[in-house]
Amino acid sequence: MRRRSAATILPEKMEKGVVKNPHSRLCCLVSLSALFWLLLLYFHFIVLGGRTLDESNQPNAIAINTEPKTSPTDPILFKTEPKTTHQLPPPIRTTPSPSDLILVPNESKTTHQLPLPTQTTPSLQEPIPVETNSKSNHKLPPPIQTTSIHKLENYPFMRALQTIENKSDPCGGRYIYVHDLPTRFNEDMLKECNSLSPWTNMCKFTTNAGLGPPLENVEGVFSNTGWYATNQFAVDVIFSNRMKQYDCLTKDSSIAAAVFVPFYAGFDISRYLWGYNTSMRDAASLDLVHWLMKRPEWNIMGGKDHFLVAGRITWDFRRLTDEEKDWGSKLLFLPAAKNMSMLVVESSPWNANDFGIPYPTYFHPAHDADVFIWQDRMRKLDRKWLFSFAGAPRPDKLESIRGQIIEQCKNSKRGTLLECYLGDSKCHSPSSIMQMFQSSLFCLQPQGDSYTRRSAFDSMLAGCIPVFFHPGSAYVQYIWHLPKNYSKYSVFIPEDDIRKRNVSIEERLNKIPHEQVKQMREEVISLIPRLIYADPRSKLETVKDAFDVAVQAVINKVTKLRREIVEGHTDDNFIEENSWKYSLLEEGQQEIGAHEWDPFFSKPNDTNADSGGSSAEAAKSSWKNEQRDHDLVG
């Protein structure tokens, strides 16, 4: 038997091994490769693909280019990183960042995301996010569950709220953005000042930034500087000029705590109240609203962060119908205007979109020291009269108590009277009026043609304690400027007690202890800075005047509203007809009920207590008496 050599066997075994081993390793490599690609494909199509599928099924998810080209009519779009495109994250994910989602207002119960840039009509509702999408089972993670400013990514006013946290910024949370209105809404009216009133040439009253001509201190009643023959309806221009001196103006509306609209609403309506049809009376108001709604700033909150000033009573702007015989304009009934806050010298107790601010007095200090010197002077005065009244009777108003008040003044040895009949120049003289108030402990302030009258502020400027006979004359009007506890600075005698002759004014005032009178007078004097408008051409340093108080109140109102939106607070039980009651609630108090003043604010017979009937007649009477009282300097 022939034996093979080792050299021959080894190559053969090696050859057979080579044939077997490659098959085994190749199979292993193929299996591993297949498994790898299988896992990769599974991860891509099942895991990542599932997410993409979920997102693609969201009907409202759209890609947002953070550098949109918008026109002034487009809703406001906020930038994030330049030249990048983001897609809105699905609702099931965590709270989106500012670059991912901006909600816009809508009346429906569905969630809406940023509108396409082609949309041009801004919504009038505030941007409140709603929870569910009608075509999806997913819910947006509500940022309203937290009060942290850092969680406000869904709201276009987030930057404005975030400025509050910057303690190093003295203007944090106080910035005001002022609309650059076309001059037809303000300055052009002043150029035609002789047409602002049918009886009074307002040109002299619009001089000196709206303060009017200076008053000479001939009788020593005034200070040597800071006194002007200011028209009681000149707040439009005074307030706007004061705004120019505001220390926290901004051109960046995204950080603004509120937005000011410098429309001279009072001057506008005063041109057309007599002898013009409703179309003319409404023209500027409609024009203004149309202009505002095209602005991107409007779409932030549908105008609920906007405010304007009208130096007339609210009833001049609350016409319900388009009948020519109906009074005033319908500015405050326009849907857009209902969102804004309107500051007027007399507000409506039954409506929530207007707020009372003081009538202008004759005193407009340019320096803090002017205020302090005047206050100190009012403390030291010898007041020989217990009470006084400056005014005329209202024989055409059966419900007026002025006749009884004048009668009591005449019959009292401790009371004095300045009768404002036609031709009586003393009543038209600021010097005579202020001299009487300065010599009185108490000043009687019944209703004028409407609830309020300028005289109340003139008397308090003189350090005289006001006596009111209707809560609508001050207590539910000037809630920003006067203490809620009215007994600290005033006396209240119900009208019916005078009308039914149940009360002697002299006896009632005599019963107040001397020490209490002293405290009340000091409270009135301490209120003086809050009740006057400083000279718009100067700037007070530490003193906060009526303008400062009003602006801060508007800022507080808007900030509170924004926080409530974030926290998801909605007052579904709010009754606008009871607006006067809400203004009297204490901090933290929410529910309203029966009130002792209910009889004073029972609704008149007219449809909404705003037009026709007593309210419009009061406004019309106010204008008729303007004809008599127009020349304040005699």
Side-chain angles (χ1 to χ4, degrees):
M1 184 176 187
R2 186 179 177 183
R3 301 182 63 182
R4 298 183 183 179
S5 65
T8 307
I9 296 174
L10 183 58
E12 184 178 342
K13 288 183 178 182
M14 291 178 63
E15 187 178 348
K16 290 181 181 181
V18 169
V19 173
K20 182 178 180 179
N21 287 340
H23 278 289
S24 176
R25 292 180 180 178
L26 183 59
C27 289
C28 181
L29 290 173
V30 170
S31 299
L32 289 174
S33 178
L35 181 59
F36 171 80
W37 285 104
L38 182 61
L39 290 173
L40 184 61
L41 292 172
Y42 176 85
F43 181 82
H44 180 76
F45 288 104
I46 303 302
V47 179
L48 296 181
R51 278 188 172 184
T52 305
L53 185 59
D54 286 345
E55 290 177 3
S56 65
N57 286 336
Q58 300 301 318
N60 288 327
I62 60 172
I64 302 177
N65 189 327
T66 58
E67 270 195 85
K69 295 181 179 180
T70 59
S71 68
T73 60
D74 292 330
I76 188 167
L77 306 175
F78 286 85
K79 293 183 180 181
T80 53
E81 295 298 327
K83 297 184 179 180
T84 58
T85 301
H86 293 274
Q87 190 175 37
L88 292 179
I92 60 174
R93 296 170 69 181
T94 57
T95 303
S97 68
S99 61
D100 292 324
L101 178 62
I102 297 174
L103 299 180
V104 295
N106 192 278
E107 294 179 352
S108 68
K109 297 289 185 177
T110 59
T111 300
H112 288 263
Q113 291 144 345
L114 191 66
L116 292 171
T118 55
Q119 181 177 340
T120 59
T121 304
S123 170
L124 297 181
Q125 304 299 322
E126 70 274 12
I128 303 178
V130 278
E131 284 191 20
T132 60
N133 186 303
S134 59
K135 297 183 180 181
S136 171
N137 293 324
H138 298 300
K139 290 186 178 181
L140 285 171
I144 58 177
Q145 298 299 323
T146 177
T147 59
S148 172
I149 300 285
H150 294 296
K151 301 288 186 179
L152 303 183
E153 296 92 347
N154 288 351
Y155 302 93
F157 49 73
M158 57 168 288
R159 288 194 65 208
L161 284 177
Q162 284 176 328
T163 65
I164 301 173
E165 290 187 331
N166 186 0
K167 303 304 180 184
S168 63
D169 183 2
C171 289
R174 297 177 52 234
Y175 286 106
I176 297 291
Y177 178 85
V178 180
H179 275 299
D180 185 16
L181 293 182
T183 56
R184 65 180 181 273
F185 293 117
N186 39 55
E187 296 301 325
D188 288 353
M189 297 184 199
L190 301 185
K191 295 176 183 177
E192 300 176 357
C193 52
N194 57 353
S195 66
L196 293 178
S197 171
W199 302 294
T200 305
N201 185 348
M202 290 293 292
C203 292
K204 67 178 180 179
F205 294 115
T206 58
T207 60
N208 294 311
L211 304 183
L215 289 172
E216 294 184 11
N217 191 22
V218 177
E219 300 178 46
V221 176
F222 312 129
S223 308
N224 290 328
T225 60
W227 290 80
Y228 298 83
T230 306
N231 186 275
Q232 64 177 329
F233 301 120
V235 173
D236 301 59
V237 64
I238 295 174
F239 201 98
S240 292
N241 284 325
R242 282 283 284 111
M243 184 62 76
K244 295 174 183 177
Q245 297 287 348
Y246 184 66
D247 56 353
C248 292
L249 295 178
T250 179
K251 293 184 178 180
D252 182 0
S253 61
S254 70
I255 65 171
V259 178
F260 179 57
V261 182
F263 172 49
Y264 293 167
F267 285 170
D268 169 59
I269 192 58
S270 68
R271 299 179 294 180
Y272 305 121
L273 275 174
W274 295 92
Y276 292 89
N277 60 27
T278 57
S279 296
M280 183 63 75
R281 286 181 256 159
D282 294 335
S285 298
L286 293 170
D287 187 14
L288 174 74
V289 168
H290 180 72
W291 188 92
L292 287 173
M293 290 175 62
K294 288 183 176 181
R295 302 298 303 170
E297 294 83 13
W298 180 269
N299 205 41
I300 299 295
M301 296 184 70
K304 291 191 174 183
D305 53 355
H306 284 49
F307 71 105
L308 67 157
V309 173
R312 298 207 66 91
I313 61 177
T314 188
W315 317 113
D316 288 335
F317 309 97
R318 292 191 174 280
R319 193 189 75 248
L320 281 173
T321 75
D322 286 330
E323 296 182 16
E324 302 299 335
K325 65 179 181 180
D326 206 352
W327 179 258
S329 78
K330 60 181 179 183
L331 171 58
L332 282 172
F333 282 131
L334 297 177
K338 284 185 176 182
N339 283 355
M340 293 189 285
S341 297
M342 187 157 165
L343 314 188
V344 288
V345 292
E346 177 177 316
S347 62
S348 165
W350 306 286
N351 296 96
N353 59 333
D354 58 355
F355 299 88
I357 59 174
Y359 285 87
T361 64
Y362 304 113
F363 185 40
H364 305 281
H367 308 286
D368 289 15
D370 298 338
V371 181
F372 303 145
I373 292 172
W374 179 258
Q375 287 178 294
D376 192 51
R377 179 178 170 182
M378 293 303 100
R379 291 185 179 99
K380 297 176 180 178
L381 286 177
D382 179 26
R383 300 175 185 268
K384 62 180 180 179
W385 298 107
L386 176 65
F387 64 97
S388 62
F389 173 64
R394 294 290 186 266
D396 54 332
K397 295 182 66 175
L398 297 179
E399 71 278 8
S400 175
I401 62 171
R402 285 192 172 203
Q404 290 93 323
I405 287 178
I406 291 173
E407 181 183 346
Q408 290 203 34
C409 286
K410 289 181 175 180
N411 295 334
S412 172
K413 294 182 179 180
R414 300 197 63 191
T416 185
L417 174 68
L418 195 63
E419 296 183 86
C420 300
Y421 294 109
L422 184 64
D424 188 353
S425 60
K426 284 187 177 180
C427 197
H428 297 153
S429 165
S431 180
S432 298
I433 293 173
M434 292 301 295
Q435 188 172 44
M436 186 185 72
F437 289 158
Q438 289 176 27
S439 61
S440 306
L441 284 174
F442 297 93
C443 293
L444 309 184
Q445 301 297 342
Q447 294 188 69
D449 299 295
S450 58
Y451 287 129
T452 64
R453 58 196 303 243
R454 170 189 176 151
S455 176
F457 296 98
D458 289 334
S459 66
M460 286 190 279
L461 174 61
C464 187
I465 302 168
V467 180
F468 295 111
F469 302 86
H470 193 293
S473 295
Y475 306 147
V476 302
Q477 289 287 342
Y478 310 107
I479 56 175
W480 295 341
H481 296 78
L482 296 174
K484 285 187 178 181
N485 183 2
Y486 62 86
S487 63
K488 291 178 62 178
Y489 71 94
S490 71
V491 176
F492 178 60
I493 303 176
E495 283 183 337
D496 273 353
D497 290 347
I498 303 298
R499 191 176 291 116
K500 296 176 182 178
R501 303 181 185 273
N502 295 333
V503 169
S504 163
I505 297 174
E506 180 178 344
E507 291 179 3
R508 169 68 193 278
L509 298 179
N510 262 329
K511 290 180 180 179
I512 303 175
H514 174 74
E515 189 60 32
Q516 184 178 347
V517 172
K518 185 178 179 180
Q519 292 174 358
M520 294 171 70
R521 185 171 67 248
E522 178 58 33
E523 181 69 21
V524 169
I525 293 172
S526 70
L527 289 172
I528 288 176
R530 303 170 62 89
L531 307 180
I532 58 177
Y533 295 91
D535 191 326
R537 299 161 298 184
S538 304
K539 192 172 183 180
L540 302 182
E541 296 178 4
T542 61
V543 173
K544 302 298 181 184
D545 71 342
F547 167 87
D548 293 315
V549 173
V551 170
Q552 188 59 53
V554 170
I555 289 174
N556 293 343
K557 174 180 176 288
V558 175
T559 301
K560 181 176 181 290
L561 175 60
R562 286 172 171 173
R563 291 191 181 279
E564 288 175 347
I565 292 173
V566 172
E567 295 168 0
H569 292 165
T570 58
D571 191 355
D572 298 329
N573 298 319
F574 178 78
I575 305 173
E576 188 174 20
E577 183 181 333
N578 290 328
S579 292
W580 67 272
K581 291 187 179 183
Y582 290 101
S583 66
L584 300 177
L585 294 177
E586 298 296 333
E587 187 69 28
Q589 189 179 356
Q590 296 181 350
E591 295 186 4
I592 61 171
H595 197 282
E596 61 178 316
W597 291 341
D598 282 337
F600 289 96
F601 297 108
S602 58
K603 258 193 169 184
N605 293 327
D606 46 296
T607 309
N608 280 320
D610 296 308
S611 187
S614 62
S615 301
E617 286 303 316
K620 192 179 296 185
S621 296
S622 177
W623 273 90
K624 289 179 180 177
N625 283 292
E626 231 177 287
Q627 182 177 9
R628 180 200 65 212
D629 300 328
H630 72 277
D631 192 0
L632 296 176
V633 292

